[in-house]
Amino acid sequence: RAKTHQRGGYEYFTRSMGVEIRERVLLMHALRAAFEHQRLFVVYQPQIDIRSGKILGAEALLRWRTDDGKFIPPDQFIPIAEYSGLIVDIGEWVLRSACHELVYLRGLGYTDFQMAVNVSQVQFSHPLFLQTLNKALEDTKAPPQFVELEITESMAMKDPELLIKTLRQIKQLGVSISIDDFGTGFSSLSHLQKLDIDKLKIDRAFVNDIQENASEGSIAKMIVQLGQNLGLAVIAEGVENQMQADTLLSYGCNLAQGYFYAKPLTRADLHAWLENRPSH
Ligand code: C2E
Ligand code: MG
Ligand code: MG
Ligand code: MG
């Protein structure tokens, strides 16, 4: 009886896996077609100095709108782009788009604007990544000092030596590095100290956890203190209300990104949003 059960479980497992793989392959073909037909676009979410309300810059985020107007979230298609290798070309295109936008904004007078771009592990460990980055900067004339790459903690674990070397080369170009979704990836703290990084981004789960009158033992607070001890900037992502912003500020975190300030915006909306701010 146990045996039949087991076999049933096995069959169910393979059948559902078959469906999953077929769906992934379909999605992969659709993604490639969308990329080729320019159905992907980049939106920009402002990053803010909580104290002054001044804009620090923005994070570039990829969007996919299908032909029938449906949006597929990046959490769904980025893994497919990674596993199919498509992320290498798509990621390069995002980087170049963000660099172009940075140069455009500088032309409008936003000369302190920092542009942050997400970089996947697959791109990062590609042997030509550095060359791709360098070429994007050269071709677009984006000043490297205003470009920041967001990498995740899990990258830090895969191949520490390669990571250290690549980070050093990126820093030599003048580009800065932040660790995205910090606190979710179980990277070792001793390891973190060895990495040439500039900024920690507190994952929005920890910002979401911030409760009124419950500041002790908050993970967000610990990350802010860690950043201060290591001499790194800290930015909170997913800030949705005033209470969270105030609490973060009381922890010593003065940079934020989240719906409370602005959602990710299309280029046109970003320009309008910037124009309507009291000062820049
Ligand atoms: P991420 O890099 O951690 O980006 C932050 C995510 O939080 C974005 O989701 C953003 O829209 C969302 N967010 C920002 N503020 C708030 C808020 O106040 N509340 C809530 N609930 N959410 C907020 P999005 O755009 O769906 O992107 C999801 C993830 O997909 C990103 O997480 C990033 O890991 C990945 N991704 C997006 N674009 C790219 C890209 O161009 N390249 C790569 N490699 N990954 C990307
Ligand atoms: Mg990010
Ligand atoms: Mg993040
Ligand atoms: Mg995240």
Side-chain angles (χ1 to χ4, degrees):
R1 213 188 146 154
K3 211 173 164 189
T4 353
H5 244 93
Q6 215 176 15
R7 187 142 31 96
Y10 179 71
E11 277 167 10
Y12 173 76
F13 184 59
T14 46
R15 212 177 322 127
S16 73
M17 262 199 4
V19 171
E20 239 181 58
I21 289 169
R22 198 159 56 230
E23 272 170 10
R24 271 201 282 179
V25 170
L26 283 177
L27 211 52
M28 183 186 97
H29 286 305
L31 178 60
R32 179 177 288 126
F35 181 50
E36 280 163 4
H37 296 106
Q38 292 159 28
R39 303 292 304 189
L40 302 184
F41 61 101
V42 180
V43 290
Y44 299 91
Q45 186 175 34
Q47 299 181 332
I48 304 288
D49 183 317
I50 302 176
R51 271 179 305 192
S52 65
K54 270 188 68 170
I55 177 152
L56 179 79
E59 175 179 7
L61 293 159
L62 187 58
R63 292 290 177 268
W64 175 10
R65 189 177 39 223
T66 61
D67 288 328
D68 47 13
K70 221 176 63 190
F71 281 97
I72 302 184
D75 289 333
Q76 251 174 59
F77 71 79
I78 296 285
I80 286 165
E82 287 174 333
Y83 127 113
S84 63
L86 272 172
I87 194 69
V88 173
D89 287 344
I90 295 178
E92 177 178 1
W93 173 79
V94 172
L95 177 66
R96 297 178 78 93
S97 305
C99 285
H100 274 298
E101 180 60 13
L102 173 66
V103 170
Y104 181 83
L105 291 169
R106 292 176 66 77
L108 293 181
Y110 299 97
T111 49
D112 295 331
F113 202 96
Q114 293 274 347
M115 185 61 83
V117 182
N118 293 286
V119 175
S120 145
Q121 150 91 51
V122 178
Q123 288 171 271
F124 202 79
S125 50
H126 193 284
L128 293 179
F129 178 68
L130 221 75
Q131 224 169 293
T132 303
L133 173 62
N134 207 2
K135 189 146 191 320
L137 295 168
E138 277 178 11
D139 290 352
T140 61
K141 301 191 169 58
Q145 294 75 7
F146 295 95
V147 176
E148 180 178 289
L149 302 182
E150 295 192 0
I151 64 173
T152 56
E153 263 176 286
S154 49
M155 277 187 212
M157 315 216 307
K158 293 254 166 69
D159 188 344
E161 292 311 314
L162 176 72
L163 181 76
I164 291 172
K165 186 166 152 254
T166 313
L167 288 181
R168 197 175 300 134
Q169 291 169 317
I170 291 172
K171 295 304 293 289
Q172 275 164 3
L173 291 178
V175 170
S176 58
I177 304 283
S178 64
I179 306 280
D180 205 353
D181 306 335
F182 189 77
T184 62
F186 312 105
S187 67
S188 89
L189 296 182
S190 63
H191 189 173
L192 187 69
Q193 219 170 3
K194 288 188 219 134
L195 299 179
D196 202 356
I197 55 172
D198 303 278
K199 192 186 276 176
L200 303 178
K201 285 194 86 171
I202 305 174
D203 190 73
R204 73 164 187 265
F206 304 127
V207 174
N208 197 47
D209 278 347
I210 293 175
Q211 303 292 332
E212 243 147 334
N213 314 317
S215 67
E216 290 317 307
S218 134
I219 292 179
K221 186 180 189 177
M222 292 197 284
I223 295 175
V224 176
Q225 284 168 349
L226 177 68
Q228 286 169 345
N229 291 341
L230 295 176
L232 304 173
V234 178
I235 183 167
E237 69 177 13
V239 176
E240 294 186 348
N241 57 55
Q242 184 78 58
M243 184 274 290
Q244 290 168 343
D246 291 344
T247 308
L248 286 160
L249 198 55
S250 79
Y251 295 163
C253 172
N254 43 31
L255 304 177
Q257 174 184 344
Y259 296 170
F260 180 56
Y261 301 100
K263 294 209 164 177
L265 305 167
T266 61
R267 286 190 67 211
D269 287 344
L270 175 68
H271 301 158
W273 186 86
L274 287 168
E275 290 296 301
N276 289 327
R277 290 179 72 77
S279 66
H280 69 261

